Amino acid sequence: MARQGHSEALPLRRLVRAPNKKKLTVHPAIIGSILPILLLFIWEGLSRLDVLPTYLLPAPTVIVNTIIELGADGSLWGHIGITLYRIFLGFLLGSGAALLLGSVVGFYRKAEQFFDPIIQAFRSIPSLAWVPLFILWMGIAEASKVTLIAVGVFFPVYLNVVSGILSVDRQLIEVGKMYGLSSFQLVKRIILPASLPSFLVGLRSGLGLGWMFVVAAELMGASQGLGYLLVLGQNTYSPELIIASIVLFAVLGKLTDAVLKKVESKSLHWQDRMEQR
Amino acid sequence: MSLQVRNVSKEFENRKAIENISFSTERGEIIGILGTSGCGKSTLLRAVSGLDTSYSGDVLLDGHVCKHVDERLGFIFQQPRLMPWLSVIDNVSFGLNDRKEEKQEKAGRYLDLVGLKGNERDFPKQLSGGMAQRVAIARALVTSPEYLLLDEPFSALDAFTKMKLQDLVLEIWEAYETTILLVTHDIEEALYLCDRLIILKGQPGTIDEELFIDEPRPRSRGSAKLAAYKEHILNRLELTTPVN
Ligand SMILES: Nc1ncnc2c1ncn2[C@@H]1O[C@H](COP(=O)(O)OP(=O)(O)OP(=O)(O)O)[C@@H](O)[C@H]1O
Ligand SMILES: [Mg+2]
């Protein structure tokens, strides 16, 4: 019996067997959704039985209703729209600047010596510490928010671009040199494609930070946006509004990440990766 | 039409890797550079290729000093070094500057030559080691180099693939009259392929002996004459490796 238990613990064995056994194959998404659904039911039940105080934690159905109402009166689209607009602009600016500066620093040793110390110094400042200064400089309108998001997005993208370029296989560059490629051609035909995976990783973690900073930016004062709904919910004692906003953040964050992931797997199909088995 | 190496020396951080290497080749000759590990074979080949330019002495191509990479030279490395993001056919046509259709047509022809017709659309991750090395061979040949430099091109392959690819090199050599410089530490490979062997020895590496292999092609891998050569080379090289 002990032997059997042992062999079942070996993941390899399952992998090998899976194809020829026609046991019911449960999609991993289904397994993964069992627990959340169960918890939702318990939560709903407890709320209906008045075990959970509704002024602190309203039932899931109440939250869903809040979202539906917001959608019905049209205000939801404005909030989502402005939040997406801010993150899109900040993401574009931040990752664009990071790509530019990261490429220069990656390609030229001299540029690295010149730029890297100051960039590392700025990196050690927690980005939220910029908030008061940005508000002072640019007011509370869009500019300061977009800047904050851009700053948040910049660093992960920058770091990944630089390390991507620095870790390009020297052997591949030699192949290019053997065919007499110029520096520009080397960049275009070898260095850029070879560092693309790292750049995309940077974009994805940059986007994650972008979502974090859009919340911060909207908390610090906004008249519209999902972050504004958080503040509104706090001020009007409506937890359902806060949780609705959190849910929307989660859904949007996941959706935008899925878009990037799609781009990644489309453009990196040539990679020999564990994930693809 | 010849490759000439004149007094080439190379130093790494005050340590000499090769010293005063001189030899010349005739058109269509296959020259083997044989030596134990660390005696500077790769260093010599990189100097000849122009990938490394910080050496002293001269490399002459067709009578002119040439201290940069040249399109007359093709290099086949020990590892395939394919661009993982390019399909097989795009890897083969990597060094070509023609129009797209022409590139594809040429690349296709050379893929056929190395027996990989039908794998054009594959990506390097889908290839076995031997297939990848064959793609690399096709990539080096597609620009029709007059000189082929090979740095232990088959050392990572199994015995069968190795023999097949050695025969492939001979076929190419026959068809294109390429002058070949082959670095290897596989004595049998050197004896099977080469017209002449240059034996490097010591650290820094110097030429110990030049050996003409006087055996008509096609050669038999098991021939007694080659075995005698092997014996001779082994004796020669064993002097350099102290028994520990
Ligand atoms: N980049 C480098 N920096 C410093 N020393 C080096 C470098 N490359 C090679 N060497 C030294 O030069 C000598 C010759 O090296 P080389 O790579 O040419 O040997 P090799 O004959 O090709 O050996 P192998 O058969 O193992 O490939 C060695 O002693 C090595 O330590
Ligand atoms: Mg070597």
Side-chain angles (χ1 to χ4, degrees), chain B residues 72-182:
Chain B
R72 281 168 291 180
L73 295 173
F75 204 126
I76 299 176
F77 301 92
Q78 184 167 359
Q79 314 81 12
R81 302 197 183 183
L82 303 179
M83 311 292 156
W85 56 88
L86 294 179
S87 64
V88 163
I89 189 128
D90 290 337
N91 261 296
V92 173
S93 63
F94 186 82
L96 291 174
N97 294 315
D98 308 306
R99 280 183 308 111
K100 187 153 197 256
E101 304 88 66
E102 244 171 278
K103 271 167 103 167
Q104 300 268 320
E105 196 271 321
K106 273 192 193 169
R109 211 149 18 98
Y110 282 89
L111 269 180
D112 199 12
L113 179 73
V114 297
L116 284 177
K117 203 181 184 137
N119 294 84
E120 289 93 344
R121 299 273 146 245
D122 285 353
F123 280 82
K125 68 171 180 182
Q126 293 163 280
L127 304 178
S128 72
M131 288 160 91
Q133 192 65 336
R134 277 186 278 164
V135 175
I137 293 174
R139 177 180 63 186
L141 293 177
V142 80
T143 51
S144 321
E146 291 165 34
Y147 304 94
L148 258 189
L149 311 177
L150 297 93
D151 191 354
E152 299 182 18
F154 313 128
S155 64
L157 304 176
D158 66 280
F160 302 113
T161 314
K162 199 179 202 169
M163 287 186 216
K164 270 198 188 149
L165 292 188
Q166 286 164 354
D167 287 327
L168 177 66
V169 165
L170 284 181
E171 269 170 44
I172 290 158
W173 167 79
E174 256 168 41
Y176 299 95
E177 282 193 59
T178 325
T179 307
I180 295 179
L181 208 55
L182 169 75

Side-chain angles (χ1 to χ4, degrees), chain A residues 13-268:
Chain A
R13 191 163 172 119
R14 249 188 34 224
L15 272 183
V16 174
R17 271 195 181 178
N20 38 22
K21 263 202 176 178
K22 276 228 165 174
K23 252 169 75 176
L24 74 160
T25 43
V26 188
H27 195 279
I30 295 177
I31 302 174
S33 50
I34 293 175
L35 188 61
I37 289 176
L38 202 66
L39 287 177
L40 275 179
F41 271 105
I42 294 174
W43 176 5
E44 182 76 33
L46 291 180
S47 293
R48 296 227 168 157
L49 294 172
D50 279 334
V51 181
L52 295 171
T54 50
Y55 63 93
L56 290 181
L57 190 60
T61 44
V62 177
I63 293 163
V64 172
N65 270 334
T66 311
I67 297 179
I68 292 174
E69 275 165 29
L70 281 173
D73 74 15
S75 60
L76 180 66
W77 312 117
H79 293 303
I80 290 181
I82 192 82
T83 298
L84 282 178
Y85 164 77
R86 283 170 186 147
I87 198 163
F88 179 72
L89 211 59
F91 181 69
L92 215 62
L93 288 174
S95 52
L99 181 61
L100 213 68
L101 204 59
S103 309
V104 173
V105 167
F107 292 139
Y108 302 105
R109 179 67 50 81
K110 281 270 178 307
E112 187 185 0
Q113 290 163 356
F114 186 71
F115 283 116
D116 211 47
I118 189 168
I119 290 174
Q120 296 300 337
F122 273 103
R123 195 165 77 93
S124 62
I125 303 172
S127 305
L128 290 182
W130 291 109
V131 170
L133 200 60
F134 286 168
I135 293 179
L136 213 60
W137 283 347
M138 292 173 263
I140 204 154
E142 295 308 309
S144 62
K145 294 188 177 59
V146 170
T147 310
L148 181 68
I149 296 166
V151 167
V153 172
F154 176 84
F155 287 106
V157 181
Y158 169 81
L159 291 176
N160 277 287
V161 168
V162 173
S163 78
I165 291 173
L166 291 184
S167 60
V168 172
D169 193 346
R170 194 179 51 84
Q171 300 195 326
L172 294 184
I173 295 181
E174 271 186 5
V175 172
K177 282 190 178 154
M178 209 53 227
Y179 288 108
L181 299 193
S182 64
S183 304
F184 171 73
Q185 285 173 316
L186 280 182
V187 168
K188 189 177 137 232
R189 298 188 59 192
I190 298 179
I191 296 175
L192 279 186
S195 53
L196 185 66
S198 183
F199 174 56
L200 289 174
V201 167
L203 280 189
R204 276 180 76 190
S205 55
L207 185 66
L209 276 186
W211 278 106
M212 207 167 108
F213 281 88
V214 83
V215 175
E218 290 182 342
L219 278 181
M220 77 197 190
S223 54
Q224 221 185 0
L226 290 179
Y228 161 75
L229 287 187
L230 290 174
V231 182
L232 187 69
Q234 186 193 356
N235 293 342
T236 57
Y237 300 101
S238 354
E240 67 278 3
L241 199 54
I242 299 178
I243 299 177
S245 168
I246 291 176
V247 169
L248 287 170
F249 267 124
V251 170
L252 288 177
K254 188 74 195 164
L255 279 181
T256 49
D257 187 60
V259 171
L260 273 190
K261 199 169 172 182
K262 191 86 195 160
V263 171
E264 192 178 322
S265 59
K266 268 261 158 61
S267 49
L268 297 184

